[in-house]
């Protein structure tokens, strides 16, 4: 639905014998120029979450009425009647 949702859970055993549990959820709306299908995530060697959301090139953006209206033709193939 145009959002990226990240959630995580971390538990630590305490010296006193208990467990400390931390949970989080973050929901972020994607900009309109990002195709949600191209969004992906990875972990860095240091354990940082990296989320990449490449922009759609301007000529592929949704709702661009100029996309597909012009077809380049070789001048040798064009004929006039």
């Amino acid at each position: 639905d145009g959002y990226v949702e990240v959630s995580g859970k971390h538990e630590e055993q305490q010296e006193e014998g208990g467990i400390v549990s931390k949970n989080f959820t973050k929901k972020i709306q994607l900009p309109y120029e990002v195709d949600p299908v191209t969004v992906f995530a990875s972990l860095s060697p240091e354990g940082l979450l990296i989320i990449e959301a490449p922009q759609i090139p301007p000529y592929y953006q949704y709702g661009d009425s100029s996309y597909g209206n012009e077809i380049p033709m070789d001048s040798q193939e064009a004929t006039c009647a």
Side-chain angles (χ1 to χ4, degrees):
D1 295 335
Y3 286 88
V4 170
E5 185 172 302
V6 178
S7 57
K9 181 178 181 179
H10 178 76
E11 292 184 347
E12 291 182 15
Q13 184 74 35
Q14 297 295 302
E15 291 179 14
E16 302 85 35
I19 296 176
V20 174
S21 179
K22 298 177 185 179
N23 300 301
F24 73 91
T25 299
K26 180 80 172 180
K27 191 172 184 178
I28 303 164
Q29 185 172 14
L30 294 171
Y32 75 92
E33 63 270 0
V34 170
D35 182 356
V37 176
T38 63
V39 175
F40 63 97
S42 60
L43 282 175
S44 73
E46 295 81 23
L48 296 174
L49 178 63
I50 300 169
I51 300 173
E52 296 187 46
Q55 286 186 336
I56 301 170
Y59 48 87
Y60 286 121
Q61 286 184 2
Y62 302 115
D64 186 354
S65 61
S66 66
Y67 177 70
N69 290 344
E70 295 182 25
I71 301 173
M73 296 180 69
D74 187 345
S75 61
Q76 295 174 348
E77 295 177 12
T79 58
C80 296

